[in-house]
Amino acid sequence: MTARSVSITFAGSGGAGVMTAGNMLLDAAGRAGWHGYMTRSSGAQIRGGEAAAMLRLSTEPVESHDDYFDLLVAIDWQNVGRFSAEIPMTSDGLVLGDPEGGDFPEQISAKGTRRAEIPFKKMSKDIPGGRANMIALGAVAALIGLPEDAVNSVLHEALKKKGAEALTSSEASMRAGMEYAANLPASARLETDGVKAESLWSITGNEAAGLGAVRGGIRFVAAYPITPGTEVLEWLAPNLAKLGGVLVQAEDELASINQIIGASYGGTPSLTATAGPGLALMMESIGLAVASEVPIVVVNVMRGGPSTGIPVKSEQSDLNIALYGLHGDAPHLVLAPNTLADCAFTTQWAVQLAEALQTAAIVLSDQSLGQSRATIEAPADPGFFACRLRPEGPLEGRYRRYLNTPSGVSPMAQPGMKGYQYTADGLEHNEIGTPSSHTVDHSTQLDKRLRKLTAYDYGEHWADIEGEGDIAVVTWGSTTGPVREALARWREAGNQARLVSVRLLSPVQPEKLAAALDGVKRVLIVEQSHGAQFHRYLRAHYDLPGSVRAFHRPGPLPIRPAEVFGQLANWS
Amino acid sequence: MEAVSACPSFSARDYKSDVKPVWCPGCGDYSVLSSITKAMAELSVPPENVALVSGIGCSSRIPAYTNVFGFHGVHGRALPIATGLKISRPELTVIASGGDGDGFSIGGNHFMHACRRNVDMTYIVMDNEVYGMTKGQASPTTAPDWEKSKLTPEGTGINPFRPLVIALASGANFIARSFSGDPNHSARMIAEAIRHPGFSFVQILSPCVTFRPEQRDWKAGIRQAPVDATTDAARAARRLMTDDGFNIGVLFRGDRKPFQPSMKARVESVRDLEKEFRI
C-alpha cells in the first residue's frame, strides 16, 4: 500500500540510539527528495530513561504529525508504554519489537495493532560491533521504500569521522535490517520517484530562530540555559562568534535580559532566548526596555506550565504572560512563528520591528516547533534587518532622546556620539530624559510609546490567511500545522473554510482581522492551552462574527488534524 | 608644519549636568558625584565615551547628574547592563554605581559574578548601611543590632555582609575603599580603579545623614590603610577578614586577564553559516 505520508516512531531506553536512527532516517529521506518532520519525546531523566523519535515522511511538505503512526519500532520495551498516548495507532499499523527486549507493554497491545518481531539483540550479536538502532534503521527504510543509496550516503556522512570499523559495522547492521524486512509484514510505503531538490535543508525550529536572529542583524546574545530554548543559544554561540558578534553566558535570566539591554543601549542589536520560568524572571526588565525605549528581542520557547511544569513538552500557555505580564501600561510586540521554518522568518521580523520601534519584542515559539527537526525548502532571507533611527545632522540645542515625534519614534543616540549624552531611564521622564512625575510628561510619554506601535504599518505578515467560505478557523503558533492539514482534508471533502493564523499578537490588528473574517458565520478557535488563553484574547480585543467555538486543550498531547476536522464536521 | 595637537583636556565641570539631585542636604553622595567628575577630568576621557550605569536607590540617581551617557535601570541590575554594554563596546569607559542594598542584596548574585567574570569596568558602591529611598530599612551591611528601622525594630540579628571579602573571593581584580568625606582620595581611588584592567570595585563609605545621623562620626574613625596594596590574594584575604571597615586605600591589585571575547568576524556573511543545514 502506498501513502502520501508515512509516520514512524523509534522508541527505546535512552542510549539505545533512537534519536540517531531518527535523525539518519530524516536525512536519508531528504536525500531521496522526500520531506520530513521529526519530534522527540523523552522522560525526565538526564541520561537513560525512555526516548522516542517520532517521524513523518512525505513526498510533500509536512508541518505536523498525522493522526496515527504507521510503524512503531521498539529497540527495547523499557518504559516505552509511557509514550503510548503520544503514539496513536490503529489496527492497520505495525509494531516491531525484539522478543528479548522485555515485556510488550499493555498500553501498546491494547491498540490492537499488528505485531511482528525483529531479534535486534541476537542480530547485533552476530555482527562484529553490530548496532540495534542501525538494524532498525535498515528495516524501516526497506519497509517504507526508502532507497538504499540515500541511507548509505547518510551513514557514510555521519560515520566518516568515527573510522572505518564503525562504518563497516553500522553498514552491516543496516543491511541486515534491510534484508530482515523481507520476513516482515508489509507496512505503508511512500512512492519512491522523489527527485532530490537542490535546496532542501535539515533544520530545527530553534536553529531556525537563531538563523532568523543573525539574518536580522543580532550581534549580541546573553544566555542562560533552559529547556526547551537552550538550542537557540547553543546554535548562536559559535555562529555569532563567526560573524564577529558575542554570546555571553549569564549568571541568571535577570542578568541575561539586562545584559542585552546594556548591549542594545550601546547600539548593538541584541537578543536572548528562554522558556516560561525564565520569561517570568525577565518581566520587570522587559518593562525597563519598553520605558527606556531600548530595542530587545526575547525568544520564548514555550513548554508546559505553570512553575516548572513539563519542561520537555509543548504548550501554548505563555500567551497571557507575554501579552499582559508587564506591570504598568507597557505596549510591546508579541509575535509567534507558526511553522518550523517560520521560526526564522518571525524572529527576523521581530528584530526589525523591535529596532524600528525601539521597544521589546517577545517571540513565542514552543517546544514542538523548537525541538523538532524537519526537511524543508531552504527558507529565503526575507530581508528584514535591524535599522534604528539615529540622530542626523548637527545637533541644534539640547538633545531630546524622548522627543515626542508624530510617529512616536525618537532618534536614538548611542555612546560615543559627541554632544548626545543622555540618561536612559526606567523612571518616567520628560523629552530630555530627566526623571519626572508630572502628569503631562507621563501622559505624553505613555501616548508616544503606544502610538509608535499602533501607527506602524505591519503590512500583510500580521497573519497567514488562506481559503474562503463562511467557516473560519482562527489559530496561532504551532497548532497552525494540524489546522492547515485538517482544512486541506476539509476542502478535499468538498467543503470550504478559511484559515487565519495570527503571527502578530500584539499590538492587535482588529480591522485586519475583521476584514479577514468578513462574511464568516462560524469561527472555530484552536489552541493548546487549558485556560483558552487565545480564545479570551480574541474575545477581549476583536469582534468575532457569527457563532464562535473554541477547541482548546493543554499539552503535552499535540492537537491532531482529525480532531480539528471532527470539530468542523460535527458542528451542527 | 602643523603643531601636534594636545590631548583634549577636560575639567570636572564638563562631566556635570544641570539636573538638581534629589539627595538630602549633607548626603555623602554629593561628594562622590564630585569625585567621579574629578576622576574623569584627571583621566581626560571625553564625556561621550563614558557610560555610567546604575540601579535603584538614592545613590543610583547619579547618572542623570552627570554629562556622560547614563543608564538608570531597575533595582539591582546595574552590573548586567554595564556588562552587556562594555563587552559589546569595549572602547567605552564603563562605570556601574549604586548603593549597598542595590549591589549587595537584590543585586548580590550579579556582584559575585561580575567579580568572577572580570570585565574591564569599575563598580562604585556608595555604602551607607541603609535603604534611604524607602525611608530607612536595614541593608546587608547594617549592623545586626541597629534598631531604628520599623521593619526590624529589634535589629536584624544578622551579621553584616563583607563586600570586600566577597569581592576578593569572587575574583575582583582591584579592590579599594574610600570615604566621601575625603573627595580627593575618592577621586584618586576611582581614577586608579578605572585605569586598572579588569573588574575594579571601590566601596565608598557615604554617610546617610537622614536615617543614620550617627554616621557623621565616621570621619573620626577613617584612617589610611597602614600598609600598601597587595597583589597577593591570600594576604589581602587575611587583611580584609580582620579589617574593621575603616581602612581606606587600594587594598588589592590583581593581574587576571579581563574577560573580552574577540569580535573579529571569520565569515563574510550569514549565508556562509547556512551551509550546515543543506542536506
Side-chain angles (χ1 to χ4, degrees), chain A residues 200-202 215 235 241-242 246 249 251-252 258-259 262 265-266 375 414-416 421-427, chain B residues 18 47-48 63 67 69-70 72 77 80-81 84-85 88-89 109-110 113 117 263 265-267 273-274 276-277 279:
Chain A
L200 281 188
W201 280 11
S202 170
R215 277 178 166 182
W235 186 83
K242 286 178 196 163
V246 181
Q249 181 172 339
E251 55 270 28
D252 55 30
N258 281 283
Q259 284 191 11
Y265 168 78
T375 310
Q414 66 186 44
Q421 296 95 306
Y422 75 99
T423 292
D425 210 319
L427 275 174
Chain B
D18 53 6
E48 67 271 16
N67 182 38
F69 274 91
H72 184 209
R77 318 291 165 222
I81 289 187
L85 178 58
S88 59
R89 295 284 309 274
N109 195 34
H110 308 309
H113 290 279
R117 196 175 280 119
M263 293 199 286
R266 285 174 277 148
V267 295
L273 308 178
E274 296 173 358
E276 71 165 276
F277 299 125
I279 294 176

Side-chain angles (χ1 to χ4, degrees), chain A residues 167-254:
Chain A
L167 183 58
T168 310
S169 57
S170 290
E171 264 187 321
S173 306
M174 194 267 288
R175 209 166 305 112
M178 284 192 157
E179 283 160 13
Y180 193 87
N183 310 327
L184 295 169
S187 174
R189 291 175 73 87
L190 271 186
E191 301 284 357
T192 55
D193 59 349
V195 179
K196 185 188 176 318
E198 284 302 315
S199 55
L200 281 188
W201 280 11
S202 170
I203 190 169
T204 70
N206 280 343
E207 290 169 344
L211 176 65
V214 294
R215 277 178 166 182
I218 292 293
R219 291 298 180 269
F220 182 88
V221 170
Y224 191 77
I226 185 167
T227 305
T230 311
E231 298 88 359
V232 179
L233 304 162
E234 287 179 335
W235 186 83
L236 281 166
N239 287 296
L240 265 179
K242 286 178 196 163
L243 289 166
V246 181
L247 179 140
V248 181
Q249 181 172 339
E251 55 270 28
D252 55 30
E253 285 94 345
L254 305 167

Side-chain angles (χ1 to χ4, degrees), chain A residues 25 40 60 68 125-126 140 169 179 184-185 197 234 274 281 337 402 424 434 445 455 484 488 542 558 568:
Chain A
L25 185 65
R40 45 203 302 166
E60 285 162 27
Y68 300 101
K125 264 183 214 154
D126 294 344
V140 169
S169 57
E179 283 160 13
L184 295 169
E234 287 179 335
T274 189
L281 283 173
Y402 300 109
T434 309
Q445 294 296 322
R484 192 172 264 144
Y542 297 93
L568 295 175

Side-chain angles (χ1 to χ4, degrees), chain A residues 26-27 30-31 34 196 198 200-204 207-208 211 214-215 219-220 235 238-252 254-256 258-268 284-285 288 292 294 373 375-376 379 381 398-399 413-427 433-435, chain B residues 10 14 17-20 22 46-54 56 61-89 91-92 106-107 109-114 116-117 259-279:
Chain A
L26 187 69
D27 283 355
R31 290 190 188 204
W34 297 356
K196 185 188 176 318
E198 284 302 315
L200 281 188
W201 280 11
S202 170
I203 190 169
T204 70
E207 290 169 344
L211 176 65
V214 294
R215 277 178 166 182
R219 291 298 180 269
F220 182 88
W235 186 83
N239 287 296
L240 265 179
K242 286 178 196 163
L243 289 166
V246 181
L247 179 140
V248 181
Q249 181 172 339
E251 55 270 28
D252 55 30
L254 305 167
S256 54
N258 281 283
Q259 284 191 11
I260 68 168
I261 291 171
S264 177
Y265 168 78
T268 309
E284 182 194 19
S285 297
L288 171 65
S292 62
V294 175
R373 177 171 291 283
T375 310
I376 56 169
D381 186 337
R398 180 143 190 200
Y399 172 53
Q414 66 186 44
M417 294 176 71
K418 191 176 176 184
Y420 285 95
Q421 296 95 306
Y422 75 99
T423 292
D425 210 319
L427 275 174
T434 309
Chain B
F10 298 92
D14 293 322
S17 80
D18 53 6
V19 179
K20 192 176 170 296
V22 294
E48 67 271 16
N49 292 343
V50 180
L52 181 56
V53 179
S54 69
I56 294 295
R61 299 292 289 248
I62 205 164
Y65 310 145
T66 71
N67 182 38
V68 301
F69 274 91
F71 204 127
H72 184 209
V74 297
H75 198 21
R77 318 291 165 222
L79 285 171
I81 289 187
T83 300
L85 178 58
K86 178 66 186 184
I87 290 174
S88 59
R89 295 284 309 274
E91 77 283 12
L92 299 174
I106 189 167
N109 195 34
H110 308 309
F111 178 54
M112 285 194 299
H113 290 279
R116 209 186 123 227
R117 196 175 280 119
F259 176 87
Q260 179 58 55
S262 155
M263 293 199 286
K264 202 163 162 255
R266 285 174 277 148
V267 295
E268 293 213 342
S269 75
V270 173
R271 289 192 72 82
D272 296 319
L273 308 178
E274 296 173 358
K275 289 174 197 150
E276 71 165 276
F277 299 125
R278 283 186 210 149
I279 294 176

